[in-house]
Amino acid sequence: MMMTKRALFEHAKQHSSANTAASLDATGFEMLVQYLHAGIAQGSISEDALGSFRSLLGPALSSSTMQGIAYEKPYGYAGDFWTLDLIYQNHHNTSPEFYRWDAFFQNCSAVRAVRNRKQLFKHLMLQLEAVTTGAVSVLNLASGPGRDVLEYFQSSVHPRCSICCVDQDQHAIAYAQKLCGDFREHIRFEQSNAFRFRSAEAYRLIWSAGLFDYLNDNQFVFLLNRLLDMLAPDGEVIIGNFSPANPSRAYMEVIGDWHLIHRSADQLVQLSQACSIDPQHVRVLAEPEGVNLFLHIKAGAGFLDVDAQFGKTVYPTESSNV
């Protein structure tokens, strides 16, 4: 039976207190969030009503929980380096009042997808070592906390990749420099806005996992063209973007005020074609959750191999018609 609006808000009150978090009804909470998300989209729930609902969560929407950190945006923007690193580390507040809230957050499909993309980056970097010789130049645009870079170097027996990490947030740069200090000879950090970044270097791999789903289509195409100009003749560009098939979207937007521009594989391919890229040089990958897609463009003869445990190709397919 469909829950009434009043019943849904009574349910929110029942489960909003930190003292009742141990008995959190995840199914009911998800149902409530989906209801609110649909109401906002239809215009039947105002921003004031949404704010009132968020206030009901009390300490559960504070810096004591992952969802509260995402909502409060301690560095002024969604998906900041600190939030991402807590996701990468699968952080849980050990306090009984908040642990279940963090377990709920960390088990969401979107959050698992973010951790999966860290694994995909490490895998691709090791694959890159396997198919190249000599020094290899990599650009990591909007590099965030740098934990993916750290774990790659920790996994590599004889690292040959030199990584340029670019981020507009000086706090992210400082954090990543400290985190990756043991490998500083392999990493160059640069604080720069992605649209202003320039480099005379030709990169074998350009990776940008969490930037482009904040950009509109015109910005996407402009920046992709800029990156293509920095690509080596045998280089590859890999750009992350969340898919519309994101089951966590309502939770991200209603609770975390975390909004992305979701794009399908076909939409990503169309944007690549707006950059005059040969469709034969394009594929789209998905990490195991199928939530985070990756537009993968090659300049050379072949793509880096991706093991099935880290991702799969969702474009091209036999039914593709772009």
Side-chain angles (χ1 to χ4, degrees):
M1 180 181 294
M2 181 75 69
M3 295 178 72
T4 66
K5 181 176 179 180
R6 180 175 179 179
L8 284 164
F9 274 87
E10 287 301 317
H11 187 85
K13 291 178 182 178
Q14 178 184 353
H15 294 294
S16 64
S17 168
N19 294 326
T20 63
S23 60
L24 174 65
D25 178 354
T27 301
F29 182 67
E30 286 183 299
M31 188 175 171
L32 171 62
V33 168
Q34 293 288 347
Y35 168 85
L36 291 169
H37 192 252
I40 292 166
Q42 295 163 5
S44 60
I45 294 178
S46 68
E47 285 296 320
D48 286 345
L50 177 59
S52 297
F53 164 72
R54 287 174 175 152
S55 69
L56 289 173
L57 293 173
L61 198 59
S62 73
S63 58
S64 296
T65 65
M66 285 299 307
Q67 64 186 13
I69 292 169
Y71 173 69
E72 290 186 348
K73 300 171 182 57
Y75 290 90
Y77 59 96
D80 64 77
F81 72 94
W82 176 243
T83 305
L84 290 179
D85 205 33
L86 292 175
I87 289 174
Y88 286 151
Q89 297 178 81
N90 201 10
H91 167 80
H92 290 66
N93 189 326
T94 57
S95 168
E97 304 136 273
F98 302 117
Y99 181 88
R100 284 177 65 85
W101 287 107
D102 283 355
F104 181 88
F105 177 95
Q106 295 287 12
N107 194 47
C108 286
S109 294
V111 174
R112 292 198 303 265
V114 169
R115 284 194 291 274
N116 286 342
R117 77 187 185 198
K118 174 169 65 72
Q119 299 301 108
L120 177 61
F121 174 80
K122 292 183 339 188
H123 173 66
L124 288 167
M125 292 296 293
L126 294 172
Q127 290 291 94
L128 187 58
E129 285 188 353
V131 300
T132 57
T133 58
V136 180
S137 293
V138 175
L139 173 63
N140 185 1
L141 189 64
S143 51
R147 190 161 297 275
D148 48 359
V149 173
L150 171 67
E151 292 187 10
Y152 152 64
F153 283 117
Q154 290 174 332
S155 301
S156 177
V157 178
H158 300 292
R160 291 183 292 101
C161 291
S162 174
I163 305 179
C164 176
C165 291
V166 177
D167 201 287
Q168 70 174 356
D169 185 349
Q170 62 181 349
H171 299 99
I173 293 293
Y175 184 91
Q177 285 176 320
K178 183 176 180 179
L179 185 69
C180 301
D182 289 345
F183 302 98
R184 61 175 62 89
E185 70 273 19
H186 299 289
I187 311 169
R188 178 170 68 88
F189 292 96
E190 182 170 339
Q191 182 190 354
S192 176
N193 180 289
F195 290 94
R196 297 192 182 100
F197 175 72
R198 299 286 191 279
S199 176
E201 193 162 359
Y203 296 102
R204 176 58 178 80
L205 174 65
I206 298 176
W207 168 270
S208 187
L211 172 62
F212 279 75
D213 38 19
Y214 294 96
L215 306 181
N216 63 38
D217 286 355
N218 289 336
Q219 293 169 326
F220 189 114
V221 171
F222 178 88
L223 188 54
L224 178 54
N225 273 320
R226 178 72 58 80
L227 295 180
L228 291 170
D229 289 340
M230 303 180 200
L231 203 58
D234 59 346
E236 299 171 62
V237 178
I238 302 177
I239 291 169
N241 205 116
F242 265 37
S243 164
N246 172 14
S248 307
R249 182 171 185 172
Y251 177 61
M252 291 174 64
E253 296 181 357
V254 170
I255 304 300
D257 192 25
W258 192 341
H259 300 265
L260 301 174
I261 298 175
H262 294 71
R263 294 182 173 100
S264 67
D266 283 354
Q267 287 173 314
L268 292 174
V269 174
Q270 288 166 3
L271 289 171
S272 74
Q273 291 180 343
C275 298
S276 302
I277 299 169
D278 185 341
Q280 298 300 315
H281 288 204
V282 175
R283 71 176 177 180
V284 179
L285 304 172
E287 45 70 42
E289 288 288 325
V291 171
N292 208 162
L293 302 180
F294 299 88
L295 177 63
H296 191 174
I297 299 165
K298 64 176 182 176
F303 292 108
L304 288 170
D305 290 333
V306 176
D307 290 349
Q309 71 183 99
F310 299 106
K312 63 180 181 180
T313 300
V314 295
Y315 177 92
T317 64
E318 291 182 2
S319 59
S320 294
N321 182 23
V322 178

